[in-house]
Structures are given as structure tokens and as C-alpha cells.
Amino acid sequence: MSSSVSSGSVSSGSVSSGSVPRLVIAAPSSGSGKTTVATGLMAAFAARGLAVSPHKVGPDYIDPGYHALATGRVGRNLDAYMCGPELVGPLFVHGARGCDIAVVEGVMGLYDGAAGEGELASTAQVAKLLRAPVVLVVDASSQSRSVAALVHGFVSWDPEVRVGGVILNKVASDRHEEMLREALESVGVPVMGVLRRAPQVDVPSRHLGLVPVAERQGEAVAAVAAMAAQVSAGCDLEALFALARGAGALACAGWDAGEVLPAAEPLKDAASPPPPLPVPSLGAAPPDPPTALNGPRPQAPDGLEMPTAGSGVTVALAGGAAFTFSYAEHAELLRAAGAEVVVFDPLRDEQLPDGTRGLVIGGGFPEVYAAELSANEPLRKSVAALAESGAPVAAECAGLLYLGRELDGLPMCGVLDATARMTDRLTLGYRDAVAVSDSSLAVAGTRMRGHEFHRTVVEPGAGTAPAWGVRGAERRVEGFVQRGVHASYLHTHWASAPGVARRFVERCRTS
């Protein structure tokens, strides 16, 4: 499909992040093709020389990794449950600084949100908060005329949600496409893309999500390139960009770690755009696009490590294939609090970074790498020694498992007198939590919202001093607080409580 979208179509630097063109990619349900379309669209725009800001509705860590491959920028989450609706706009503006367009991938179905909370945390709510038009991705594989009733229902359900276009996915043939387009003429929503079935863009999944980029970098790069090629060939990029330009201006200021949490030392260039994320190149743009679309593709060295920056006390941040779950704002807040954040890989590095005074271990899939993590005995001993010294250690989910005595019978760090094992049961959902014990992260009584996502069980589930009292499907205490360690299954977003980072870094200085 023809288009004139290119880096020359926008004036990079003249567009404020509150008025940056933006689209929300939604669907009637999970499995409709949101990730394929959103990631492919990001990569297609980036291949035309545009600076693309990638975002994901909800708590998911994995899709943003694919977004980062597509755009060369850190994928950022917009979660109205964990951070509150009031932070969705500021966090978006923060991530979109310096960009020409933003693409926001939705979560589940357009109107699905936190259970029992109405529209809270739904893609529809985020679209309204961002004043952004919605593109509805419809799996058309088993329907023809009924597609009109489906789209009409989604368009009319909430008049405040502006569905500006439809992309038909998994279309079988030219005749099938004709039937779908004819049916949709009566709805008044333009068809902006038609995608045929394409097995090459299928990405392996695990626990309701994709397999993280860090576990399959070469295959992931190929998958993203295939998504970009499919979207470029099947979608009207010019129409989509024009729709994105129709987004309403946002009046809110951008979130800034240096403002919400003044740094121990002044931050340099606090208002500058977030730094690009080093990512593998996707190579050339899809074959034979119109000449006007051709533009430079940002190149960067291989690797997915977050950039290290800052000065002061050293905080080690676990990364690599086993620990891929981390929100970018956590590292930004730690730097704003005066820390130097240094990423290390527990699968490869045998010692913590020199001068480590604190340790943050996020989530991931350590069960996949249990043997390798266990075999790295020098690092396990280094982590145990740091914890024994009383230094602050913050561990979420996978980090909790790594600090335990055993994972599926294999020795781990032994910091916590607890064992973990895989089960067939998926624990998933938002949680309201209150800190039960004073810790390196929070004083007792601090309230936060978080998210659980795991198939493991830790025994016992809580220590003598639990980390959180949790309200979800049931009320319970969970996690461990001992010396400087705070370990829990609960994933939290520190942008909702920036004092967590300040307290952690202060403890690093004084421990």
C-alpha cells in the first residue's frame, strides 16, 4: 500500500511529547494479533526513519522487549492499576520525549481491565487518558459478514473511545477480503490494513505471554523483521500516521525521576529524551517500499542491557536471559536517588560488580535456567555474602526464587530458608498490598499495588517477618524481610511510590 510517511513528514524536535502523534492498537480479545500489528507497525515506522516511542498497556514485561527490538528505544508500560490513572499521561509523555510517533499496544480485549474494577487498567481507559485514537485488530479467520456486527459493537460501546480504523488479521483469500470490506462499509470505520496468515511471524509463548527476547535474540530479530514486512505490505501506513496525528494534545507534564525524587547530586540534562536502548539491527527495510518511505534505520550494537549511568553508591541490577523483568523507571529512580546502576548477568558473571552496595533482582524465568544459575557457585556465594552483610537486596518473583535455598532441587543462593518448585498452577492478577515489616524498601504500613505472575510455589510462603499483606483472591501474608533483604512474589512499579528508591539508596549508603 502506498504511503508518504518518512522522517521528512514530521519535524523531529518541533513536536512536543504531549502532542506527539499516537495510536493505541487494541483488539476484541487476546490472540487477535495485537502484538504482531503493534510490533510490526513500530518497526515499519522506524524503518522509515521515524523515532518511535513504544508502550504497552498493563504490567507485561515481555512484549516491551519486542517493542525495543522494533524501535531501538526502551519499551515502557502504562498501567493504570499499579501506577494510578493520574500517572498514565505523565509516564507516556516521559517515554515519548523526542519522538515522531508513539504506538501503544493494548492488553487483552479493548474493554477488559482489572477484575471487578470496571474500566480500570483497560486499554479503553488508557486510550481515553491519552486522548488517542484506537485501531482495532480483528481476527477474521472464521467470519465474514459478522465482522460488521463485532466492530459496530466495539465502536458504539463507549462513545468516549474513538475507534478510528480496523486492521483485519488472518484473512484467507482475496474473496474473503472482499466480503469483509463490503460488510464493514456499513459501520463507517475504515479498513486500514489486511494481513494474511503468516506462520513466520508466530512467536513461541509461555505462561500467557511470549518467550522473552533475551532467550531467543536471533529468532526474535527475525520475527520482528517479518512482522515489519507483513505490516508494511498489508497496512496503509499513511492513513495510520494521519490517524495518529489526530490525537488530542495532553496538558500534563512528563514524569521525571529527577523531579519526583530530587537527586542527591543534580542530574545532567534532566529534561532530555530517555537514552536509546542498544538493540540488534533489524537490517534493511522490507523489500521494494516506495522511495518516499526510505529512511535511515537507527543502528546499535547487539545486546539488550540497559545503559548504565549516574554516580555515587553502586546498585547492581540483575539482567541477562534469566532476569528480564524490570521497569525502566526503577533504574531511573535509583539514579535520581544518587545511585550508579550497573547491570550484571547471573548466568555469566561470577562476581557482583565492583563496589556493590545494593542489589536489585527482578522477575523472569529462572526455572528455565535453574541449572546454569546453580552452576555459577561463585556468584551465588557473592550474593549470599552481600545479603549477610546487611546490604539492601530487593527481589521480586524470580529474584525471590534465586535467593532461596533450592529451586526444583538445585542449590540457589541460600539467603532465605525457603525452597521453590514449579507447579502446573498459574498464579496471575493484580494485588493490593501493605508492607507488614519495616524493610529497605518501605516502612510498615506503606500501601502499594502490584501484580503476580508465576507457576512456582515457595515453601514457606512467608518468613517470620513477612514482606506484604496481600489482598487479591484471598487475604494472606507473603514474602520475606530479613536484615536488608526484601523478597516477594509481588511485582511493583516504583513510579507509583518513588520514595521506595530513595529509601533503598539511603540504606545502601548506611549499611
Side-chain angles (χ1 to χ4, degrees), residues 83-151:
C83 294
E86 68 279 1
L87 274 183
V88 168
L91 287 170
F92 169 83
V93 172
H94 169 60
R97 284 192 183 114
C99 287
D100 302 315
I101 188 170
V103 178
V104 181
E105 180 184 344
V107 62
M108 299 186 292
L110 174 58
Y111 295 108
D112 299 326
E117 299 283 353
E119 74 170 7
L120 180 61
S122 68
T123 302
Q125 183 191 33
V126 170
K128 290 191 286 186
L129 290 169
L130 297 181
R131 305 185 67 192
V134 172
V135 176
L136 194 68
V137 179
V138 177
D139 179 350
S141 59
S142 299
Q143 58 186 312
S144 57
R145 189 165 179 264
S146 294
V147 74
L150 175 68
V151 173

Short mmCIF file of all heavy atoms in Angstrom, two decimals, residues 83-151:
data_model
loop_
_atom_site.label_atom_id
_atom_site.label_comp_id
_atom_site.label_asym_id
_atom_site.label_seq_id
_atom_site.Cartn_x
_atom_site.Cartn_y
_atom_site.Cartn_z
N CYS A 83 0.01 2.11 38.86
CA CYS A 83 0.53 3.48 38.98
C CYS A 83 -0.56 4.51 39.22
O CYS A 83 -0.25 5.65 39.60
CB CYS A 83 1.32 3.85 37.74
SG CYS A 83 2.82 2.89 37.52
N GLY A 84 -1.81 4.14 38.96
CA GLY A 84 -2.90 5.09 39.06
C GLY A 84 -3.15 5.78 37.73
O GLY A 84 -2.22 6.06 36.98
N PRO A 85 -4.42 6.08 37.42
CA PRO A 85 -4.74 6.75 36.16
C PRO A 85 -4.01 8.08 36.00
O PRO A 85 -3.69 8.49 34.88
CB PRO A 85 -6.25 6.95 36.24
CG PRO A 85 -6.74 5.89 37.18
CD PRO A 85 -5.64 5.72 38.19
N GLU A 86 -3.74 8.75 37.12
CA GLU A 86 -3.13 10.08 37.05
C GLU A 86 -1.70 10.05 36.52
O GLU A 86 -1.16 11.08 36.10
CB GLU A 86 -3.16 10.75 38.42
CG GLU A 86 -2.27 10.12 39.48
CD GLU A 86 -2.87 8.88 40.15
OE1 GLU A 86 -4.00 8.48 39.77
OE2 GLU A 86 -2.22 8.32 41.06
N LEU A 87 -1.04 8.89 36.54
CA LEU A 87 0.34 8.80 36.06
C LEU A 87 0.45 8.30 34.62
O LEU A 87 1.54 8.31 34.05
CB LEU A 87 1.17 7.88 36.98
CG LEU A 87 1.82 8.53 38.21
CD1 LEU A 87 2.66 7.51 38.96
CD2 LEU A 87 2.66 9.74 37.82
N VAL A 88 -0.65 7.84 34.04
CA VAL A 88 -0.58 7.30 32.69
C VAL A 88 -0.10 8.36 31.70
O VAL A 88 0.83 8.13 30.91
CB VAL A 88 -1.94 6.73 32.26
CG1 VAL A 88 -1.96 6.43 30.75
CG2 VAL A 88 -2.25 5.45 33.04
N GLY A 89 -0.70 9.53 31.74
CA GLY A 89 -0.28 10.61 30.84
C GLY A 89 1.16 11.04 31.06
O GLY A 89 1.95 11.08 30.11
N PRO A 90 1.55 11.37 32.30
CA PRO A 90 2.94 11.78 32.55
C PRO A 90 3.96 10.73 32.15
O PRO A 90 5.02 11.07 31.61
CB PRO A 90 2.95 12.05 34.06
CG PRO A 90 1.55 12.48 34.37
CD PRO A 90 0.69 11.62 33.49
N LEU A 91 3.69 9.46 32.42
CA LEU A 91 4.65 8.41 32.04
C LEU A 91 4.73 8.27 30.52
O LEU A 91 5.81 8.03 29.96
CB LEU A 91 4.26 7.07 32.68
CG LEU A 91 4.53 6.95 34.19
CD1 LEU A 91 3.88 5.70 34.75
CD2 LEU A 91 6.02 6.97 34.48
N PHE A 92 3.60 8.44 29.85
CA PHE A 92 3.61 8.40 28.39
C PHE A 92 4.45 9.56 27.84
O PHE A 92 5.29 9.36 26.96
CB PHE A 92 2.19 8.48 27.84
CG PHE A 92 2.14 8.71 26.36
CD1 PHE A 92 2.26 7.65 25.48
CD2 PHE A 92 1.98 10.00 25.85
CE1 PHE A 92 2.23 7.86 24.11
CE2 PHE A 92 1.96 10.22 24.48
CZ PHE A 92 2.08 9.15 23.61
N VAL A 93 4.20 10.76 28.34
CA VAL A 93 4.93 11.93 27.85
C VAL A 93 6.43 11.77 28.09
O VAL A 93 7.25 12.13 27.26
CB VAL A 93 4.39 13.20 28.52
CG1 VAL A 93 5.25 14.42 28.18
CG2 VAL A 93 2.94 13.47 28.09
N HIS A 94 6.79 11.20 29.25
CA HIS A 94 8.20 10.94 29.56
C HIS A 94 8.82 10.04 28.50
O HIS A 94 9.89 10.33 27.95
CB HIS A 94 8.30 10.29 30.93
CG HIS A 94 9.64 9.74 31.28
ND1 HIS A 94 10.77 10.52 31.33
CD2 HIS A 94 10.04 8.48 31.58
CE1 HIS A 94 11.81 9.78 31.67
NE2 HIS A 94 11.39 8.53 31.82
N GLY A 95 8.16 8.94 28.20
CA GLY A 95 8.73 8.00 27.24
C GLY A 95 8.75 8.52 25.82
O GLY A 95 9.60 8.13 25.02
N ALA A 96 7.80 9.42 25.49
CA ALA A 96 7.66 9.89 24.11
C ALA A 96 8.51 11.12 23.80
O ALA A 96 8.46 11.61 22.68
CB ALA A 96 6.19 10.19 23.82
N ARG A 97 9.29 11.60 24.78
CA ARG A 97 10.12 12.78 24.52
C ARG A 97 11.03 12.54 23.30
O ARG A 97 11.72 11.54 23.21
CB ARG A 97 11.00 13.09 25.73
CG ARG A 97 10.26 13.75 26.89
CD ARG A 97 11.25 14.28 27.91
NE ARG A 97 10.54 14.86 29.05
CZ ARG A 97 10.58 14.36 30.29
NH1 ARG A 97 11.30 13.30 30.55
NH2 ARG A 97 9.92 14.95 31.26
N GLY A 98 11.04 13.50 22.39
CA GLY A 98 11.92 13.42 21.25
C GLY A 98 11.46 12.51 20.15
O GLY A 98 12.20 12.28 19.19
N CYS A 99 10.24 11.97 20.24
CA CYS A 99 9.76 11.02 19.23
C CYS A 99 8.82 11.67 18.22
O CYS A 99 8.20 12.70 18.47
CB CYS A 99 9.07 9.84 19.91
SG CYS A 99 10.22 8.72 20.73
N ASP A 100 8.71 11.01 17.07
CA ASP A 100 7.83 11.46 15.99
C ASP A 100 6.45 10.84 16.08
O ASP A 100 5.47 11.41 15.58
CB ASP A 100 8.44 11.11 14.64
CG ASP A 100 9.82 11.70 14.45
OD1 ASP A 100 9.99 12.90 14.77
OD2 ASP A 100 10.73 10.97 14.01
N ILE A 101 6.36 9.66 16.66
CA ILE A 101 5.09 8.94 16.79
C ILE A 101 5.21 7.95 17.93
O ILE A 101 6.31 7.47 18.23
CB ILE A 101 4.72 8.21 15.47
CG1 ILE A 101 3.30 7.63 15.55
CG2 ILE A 101 5.75 7.14 15.10
CD1 ILE A 101 2.77 7.10 14.23
N ALA A 102 4.09 7.67 18.57
CA ALA A 102 4.05 6.66 19.64
C ALA A 102 3.03 5.60 19.27
O ALA A 102 1.94 5.91 18.75
CB ALA A 102 3.69 7.30 20.98
N VAL A 103 3.37 4.35 19.52
CA VAL A 103 2.46 3.23 19.30
C VAL A 103 2.28 2.52 20.63
O VAL A 103 3.25 2.13 21.28
CB VAL A 103 3.00 2.26 18.23
CG1 VAL A 103 2.04 1.08 18.06
CG2 VAL A 103 3.20 2.98 16.90
N VAL A 104 1.03 2.38 21.04
CA VAL A 104 0.69 1.78 22.34
C VAL A 104 -0.02 0.45 22.08
O VAL A 104 -1.11 0.44 21.49
CB VAL A 104 -0.22 2.71 23.16
CG1 VAL A 104 -0.53 2.08 24.52
CG2 VAL A 104 0.42 4.09 23.33
N GLU A 105 0.57 -0.64 22.50
CA GLU A 105 -0.10 -1.94 22.38
C GLU A 105 -1.01 -2.16 23.57
O GLU A 105 -0.60 -2.03 24.73
CB GLU A 105 0.91 -3.09 22.30
CG GLU A 105 0.22 -4.44 22.17
CD GLU A 105 1.18 -5.63 22.17
OE1 GLU A 105 2.38 -5.43 21.98
OE2 GLU A 105 0.69 -6.77 22.38
N GLY A 106 -2.25 -2.53 23.31
CA GLY A 106 -3.21 -2.77 24.37
C GLY A 106 -3.00 -4.09 25.07
O GLY A 106 -2.05 -4.83 24.81
N VAL A 107 -3.94 -4.39 25.98
CA VAL A 107 -3.89 -5.63 26.75
C VAL A 107 -5.24 -6.32 26.65
O VAL A 107 -6.29 -5.67 26.66
CB VAL A 107 -3.52 -5.34 28.23
CG1 VAL A 107 -4.58 -4.46 28.89
CG2 VAL A 107 -3.33 -6.63 29.01
N MET A 108 -5.25 -7.63 26.50
CA MET A 108 -6.48 -8.43 26.40
C MET A 108 -7.44 -7.79 25.40
O MET A 108 -7.03 -7.28 24.36
CB MET A 108 -7.12 -8.57 27.79
CG MET A 108 -6.22 -9.27 28.80
SD MET A 108 -7.01 -9.59 30.40
CE MET A 108 -7.23 -7.94 31.04
N GLY A 109 -8.75 -7.81 25.69
CA GLY A 109 -9.71 -7.14 24.84
C GLY A 109 -9.78 -5.67 25.18
O GLY A 109 -9.41 -5.25 26.29
N LEU A 110 -10.28 -4.86 24.25
CA LEU A 110 -10.27 -3.41 24.40
C LEU A 110 -10.85 -2.94 25.73
O LEU A 110 -10.33 -2.02 26.36
CB LEU A 110 -11.06 -2.78 23.24
CG LEU A 110 -11.32 -1.28 23.26
CD1 LEU A 110 -10.01 -0.50 23.31
CD2 LEU A 110 -12.14 -0.87 22.04
N TYR A 111 -11.94 -3.56 26.17
CA TYR A 111 -12.63 -3.10 27.38
C TYR A 111 -12.33 -3.94 28.62
O TYR A 111 -12.96 -3.75 29.66
CB TYR A 111 -14.13 -3.03 27.12
CG TYR A 111 -14.50 -2.01 26.06
CD1 TYR A 111 -14.92 -2.42 24.79
CD2 TYR A 111 -14.41 -0.66 26.32
CE1 TYR A 111 -15.24 -1.48 23.81
CE2 TYR A 111 -14.73 0.28 25.34
CZ TYR A 111 -15.14 -0.13 24.10
OH TYR A 111 -15.46 0.80 23.14
N ASP A 112 -11.39 -4.87 28.52
CA ASP A 112 -11.05 -5.72 29.66
C ASP A 112 -10.05 -5.01 30.57
O ASP A 112 -9.03 -4.50 30.10
CB ASP A 112 -10.44 -7.04 29.19
CG ASP A 112 -11.40 -7.84 28.33
OD1 ASP A 112 -12.62 -7.78 28.60
OD2 ASP A 112 -10.95 -8.50 27.38
N GLY A 113 -10.34 -4.99 31.87
CA GLY A 113 -9.43 -4.35 32.82
C GLY A 113 -9.26 -5.20 34.06
O GLY A 113 -9.42 -6.42 34.04
N ALA A 114 -8.92 -4.55 35.17
CA ALA A 114 -8.74 -5.25 36.44
C ALA A 114 -10.07 -5.85 36.87
O ALA A 114 -11.12 -5.19 36.80
CB ALA A 114 -8.22 -4.29 37.50
N ALA A 115 -10.03 -7.10 37.32
CA ALA A 115 -11.25 -7.82 37.67
C ALA A 115 -12.03 -7.06 38.75
O ALA A 115 -11.48 -6.67 39.77
CB ALA A 115 -10.91 -9.22 38.17
N GLY A 116 -13.32 -6.85 38.48
CA GLY A 116 -14.18 -6.20 39.46
C GLY A 116 -13.98 -4.72 39.61
O GLY A 116 -14.54 -4.10 40.51
N GLU A 117 -13.20 -4.10 38.70
CA GLU A 117 -12.87 -2.67 38.83
C GLU A 117 -13.36 -1.85 37.64
O GLU A 117 -12.85 -0.76 37.38
CB GLU A 117 -11.35 -2.49 38.97
CG GLU A 117 -10.74 -3.16 40.19
CD GLU A 117 -11.00 -2.37 41.47
OE1 GLU A 117 -11.52 -1.25 41.38
OE2 GLU A 117 -10.65 -2.88 42.55
N GLY A 118 -14.35 -2.35 36.92
CA GLY A 118 -14.87 -1.60 35.78
C GLY A 118 -13.83 -1.45 34.70
O GLY A 118 -13.15 -2.41 34.31
N GLU A 119 -13.64 -0.22 34.21
CA GLU A 119 -12.71 0.00 33.11
C GLU A 119 -11.28 0.19 33.59
O GLU A 119 -10.37 0.34 32.76
CB GLU A 119 -13.13 1.22 32.30
CG GLU A 119 -12.88 2.56 32.98
CD GLU A 119 -13.08 3.74 32.05
OE1 GLU A 119 -13.54 3.55 30.91
OE2 GLU A 119 -12.79 4.87 32.48
N LEU A 120 -11.03 0.17 34.89
CA LEU A 120 -9.69 0.44 35.42
C LEU A 120 -8.66 -0.50 34.80
O LEU A 120 -8.83 -1.71 34.79
CB LEU A 120 -9.67 0.29 36.94
CG LEU A 120 -8.32 0.54 37.62
CD1 LEU A 120 -7.83 1.96 37.40
CD2 LEU A 120 -8.41 0.22 39.11
N ALA A 121 -7.59 0.08 34.28
CA ALA A 121 -6.45 -0.63 33.71
C ALA A 121 -6.76 -1.26 32.35
O ALA A 121 -5.96 -2.04 31.83
CB ALA A 121 -5.90 -1.69 34.66
N SER A 122 -7.90 -0.92 31.76
CA SER A 122 -8.22 -1.44 30.43
C SER A 122 -7.54 -0.61 29.36
O SER A 122 -7.14 0.54 29.56
CB SER A 122 -9.74 -1.41 30.21
OG SER A 122 -10.20 -0.06 30.13
N THR A 123 -7.45 -1.19 28.17
CA THR A 123 -6.92 -0.45 27.03
C THR A 123 -7.81 0.75 26.72
O THR A 123 -7.32 1.83 26.38
CB THR A 123 -6.85 -1.36 25.80
OG1 THR A 123 -6.03 -2.50 26.12
CG2 THR A 123 -6.27 -0.65 24.60
N ALA A 124 -9.12 0.59 26.87
CA ALA A 124 -10.05 1.69 26.61
C ALA A 124 -9.77 2.86 27.54
O ALA A 124 -9.75 4.03 27.11
CB ALA A 124 -11.49 1.21 26.79
N GLN A 125 -9.54 2.58 28.82
CA GLN A 125 -9.26 3.67 29.76
C GLN A 125 -7.97 4.39 29.39
O GLN A 125 -7.90 5.63 29.40
CB GLN A 125 -9.15 3.14 31.19
CG GLN A 125 -8.94 4.26 32.20
CD GLN A 125 -8.56 3.76 33.59
OE1 GLN A 125 -7.88 2.74 33.72
NE2 GLN A 125 -9.00 4.47 34.62
N VAL A 126 -6.94 3.63 29.05
CA VAL A 126 -5.67 4.25 28.69
C VAL A 126 -5.82 5.09 27.43
O VAL A 126 -5.27 6.20 27.32
CB VAL A 126 -4.57 3.19 28.54
CG1 VAL A 126 -3.30 3.78 27.93
CG2 VAL A 126 -4.26 2.56 29.90
N ALA A 127 -6.57 4.60 26.44
CA ALA A 127 -6.79 5.37 25.21
C ALA A 127 -7.47 6.70 25.53
O ALA A 127 -7.11 7.74 24.95
CB ALA A 127 -7.63 4.55 24.23
N LYS A 128 -8.43 6.68 26.44
CA LYS A 128 -9.11 7.92 26.81
C LYS A 128 -8.18 8.85 27.56
O LYS A 128 -8.18 10.07 27.32
CB LYS A 128 -10.36 7.61 27.64
CG LYS A 128 -11.46 6.95 26.83
CD LYS A 128 -12.78 6.89 27.57
CE LYS A 128 -12.82 5.86 28.67
NZ LYS A 128 -14.15 5.73 29.27
N LEU A 129 -7.37 8.31 28.46
CA LEU A 129 -6.43 9.14 29.20
C LEU A 129 -5.40 9.78 28.28
O LEU A 129 -4.93 10.89 28.54
CB LEU A 129 -5.73 8.30 30.27
CG LEU A 129 -6.60 7.84 31.45
CD1 LEU A 129 -5.86 6.80 32.28
CD2 LEU A 129 -7.00 9.03 32.33
N LEU A 130 -5.05 9.08 27.20
CA LEU A 130 -4.07 9.59 26.25
C LEU A 130 -4.71 10.38 25.11
O LEU A 130 -3.98 10.90 24.26
CB LEU A 130 -3.26 8.43 25.65
CG LEU A 130 -2.40 7.63 26.62
CD1 LEU A 130 -1.64 6.53 25.86
CD2 LEU A 130 -1.42 8.52 27.37
N ARG A 131 -6.04 10.44 25.09
CA ARG A 131 -6.76 11.11 24.01
C ARG A 131 -6.29 10.57 22.65
O ARG A 131 -6.10 11.32 21.69
CB ARG A 131 -6.57 12.63 24.10
CG ARG A 131 -6.96 13.23 25.43
CD ARG A 131 -6.88 14.75 25.41
NE ARG A 131 -7.89 15.32 24.51
CZ ARG A 131 -7.90 16.60 24.12
NH1 ARG A 131 -6.95 17.41 24.53
NH2 ARG A 131 -8.86 17.05 23.31
N ALA A 132 -6.14 9.27 22.59
CA ALA A 132 -5.55 8.62 21.42
C ALA A 132 -6.59 7.83 20.63
O ALA A 132 -7.44 7.16 21.22
CB ALA A 132 -4.42 7.68 21.85
N PRO A 133 -6.54 7.87 19.31
CA PRO A 133 -7.41 7.02 18.50
C PRO A 133 -7.00 5.57 18.62
O PRO A 133 -5.83 5.25 18.84
CB PRO A 133 -7.20 7.54 17.08
CG PRO A 133 -5.84 8.16 17.09
CD PRO A 133 -5.65 8.72 18.48
N VAL A 134 -7.97 4.69 18.46
CA VAL A 134 -7.77 3.25 18.59
C VAL A 134 -7.86 2.59 17.22
O VAL A 134 -8.74 2.91 16.42
CB VAL A 134 -8.83 2.63 19.53
CG1 VAL A 134 -8.75 1.10 19.53
CG2 VAL A 134 -8.66 3.16 20.95
N VAL A 135 -6.95 1.68 16.96
CA VAL A 135 -7.03 0.82 15.79
C VAL A 135 -7.37 -0.58 16.29
O VAL A 135 -6.65 -1.15 17.11
CB VAL A 135 -5.70 0.80 15.01
CG1 VAL A 135 -5.78 -0.18 13.84
CG2 VAL A 135 -5.36 2.20 14.51
N LEU A 136 -8.49 -1.11 15.80
CA LEU A 136 -8.97 -2.41 16.27
C LEU A 136 -8.46 -3.51 15.35
O LEU A 136 -8.74 -3.51 14.15
CB LEU A 136 -10.50 -2.41 16.31
CG LEU A 136 -11.18 -3.54 17.08
CD1 LEU A 136 -10.91 -3.41 18.57
CD2 LEU A 136 -12.68 -3.55 16.81
N VAL A 137 -7.72 -4.46 15.92
CA VAL A 137 -7.21 -5.61 15.18
C VAL A 137 -8.20 -6.76 15.35
O VAL A 137 -8.44 -7.21 16.47
CB VAL A 137 -5.82 -6.03 15.68
CG1 VAL A 137 -5.31 -7.24 14.90
CG2 VAL A 137 -4.83 -4.87 15.57
N VAL A 138 -8.76 -7.22 14.26
CA VAL A 138 -9.80 -8.25 14.31
C VAL A 138 -9.30 -9.53 13.65
O VAL A 138 -8.83 -9.50 12.50
CB VAL A 138 -11.08 -7.77 13.60
CG1 VAL A 138 -12.13 -8.88 13.60
CG2 VAL A 138 -11.63 -6.52 14.28
N ASP A 139 -9.38 -10.63 14.38
CA ASP A 139 -9.09 -11.95 13.81
C ASP A 139 -10.29 -12.35 12.95
O ASP A 139 -11.34 -12.71 13.47
CB ASP A 139 -8.85 -12.96 14.93
CG ASP A 139 -8.56 -14.36 14.42
OD1 ASP A 139 -8.72 -14.61 13.21
OD2 ASP A 139 -8.17 -15.21 15.24
N ALA A 140 -10.12 -12.26 11.66
CA ALA A 140 -11.23 -12.51 10.74
C ALA A 140 -11.24 -13.94 10.20
O ALA A 140 -11.97 -14.23 9.24
CB ALA A 140 -11.15 -11.53 9.57
N SER A 141 -10.49 -14.82 10.81
CA SER A 141 -10.27 -16.15 10.23
C SER A 141 -11.54 -16.99 10.13
O SER A 141 -11.62 -17.87 9.28
CB SER A 141 -9.21 -16.91 11.04
OG SER A 141 -9.61 -17.04 12.40
N SER A 142 -12.53 -16.75 10.97
CA SER A 142 -13.71 -17.62 10.97
C SER A 142 -15.01 -16.82 10.81
O SER A 142 -16.04 -17.19 11.37
CB SER A 142 -13.76 -18.44 12.26
OG SER A 142 -12.62 -19.26 12.38
N GLN A 143 -14.95 -15.71 10.08
CA GLN A 143 -16.15 -14.91 9.93
C GLN A 143 -16.10 -14.13 8.61
O GLN A 143 -15.04 -13.97 8.01
CB GLN A 143 -16.31 -13.94 11.10
CG GLN A 143 -15.15 -12.99 11.31
CD GLN A 143 -15.31 -12.16 12.57
OE1 GLN A 143 -16.37 -11.58 12.81
NE2 GLN A 143 -14.27 -12.09 13.39
N SER A 144 -17.25 -13.62 8.22
CA SER A 144 -17.31 -12.73 7.06
C SER A 144 -18.21 -11.55 7.42
O SER A 144 -17.74 -10.58 7.99
CB SER A 144 -17.82 -13.48 5.82
OG SER A 144 -19.08 -14.08 6.06
N ARG A 145 -19.51 -11.64 7.15
CA ARG A 145 -20.40 -10.50 7.41
C ARG A 145 -20.51 -10.18 8.89
O ARG A 145 -20.73 -9.02 9.27
CB ARG A 145 -21.78 -10.81 6.82
CG ARG A 145 -22.73 -9.64 6.84
CD ARG A 145 -23.93 -9.89 5.93
NE ARG A 145 -24.87 -8.77 5.96
CZ ARG A 145 -25.95 -8.73 6.73
NH1 ARG A 145 -26.23 -9.77 7.53
NH2 ARG A 145 -26.75 -7.68 6.71
N SER A 146 -20.33 -11.16 9.74
CA SER A 146 -20.44 -10.93 11.18
C SER A 146 -19.41 -9.95 11.70
O SER A 146 -19.57 -9.39 12.79
CB SER A 146 -20.30 -12.26 11.94
OG SER A 146 -21.39 -13.12 11.65
N VAL A 147 -18.34 -9.73 10.95
CA VAL A 147 -17.32 -8.80 11.39
C VAL A 147 -17.90 -7.41 11.58
O VAL A 147 -17.46 -6.64 12.45
CB VAL A 147 -16.13 -8.78 10.39
CG1 VAL A 147 -16.50 -8.05 9.11
CG2 VAL A 147 -14.92 -8.13 11.03
N ALA A 148 -18.92 -7.06 10.79
CA ALA A 148 -19.54 -5.74 10.91
C ALA A 148 -20.23 -5.58 12.26
O ALA A 148 -20.15 -4.53 12.90
CB ALA A 148 -20.53 -5.52 9.77
N ALA A 149 -20.94 -6.62 12.70
CA ALA A 149 -21.61 -6.56 14.00
C ALA A 149 -20.60 -6.46 15.13
O ALA A 149 -20.78 -5.71 16.10
CB ALA A 149 -22.50 -7.79 14.18
N LEU A 150 -19.52 -7.21 14.99
CA LEU A 150 -18.47 -7.18 16.01
C LEU A 150 -17.87 -5.78 16.13
O LEU A 150 -17.78 -5.20 17.22
CB LEU A 150 -17.39 -8.20 15.67
CG LEU A 150 -16.15 -8.22 16.57
CD1 LEU A 150 -16.52 -8.72 17.95
CD2 LEU A 150 -15.06 -9.10 15.97
N VAL A 151 -17.45 -5.22 15.00
CA VAL A 151 -16.81 -3.90 15.03
C VAL A 151 -17.80 -2.84 15.48
O VAL A 151 -17.46 -1.95 16.28
CB VAL A 151 -16.22 -3.56 13.65
CG1 VAL A 151 -15.72 -2.12 13.62
CG2 VAL A 151 -15.09 -4.52 13.31
#
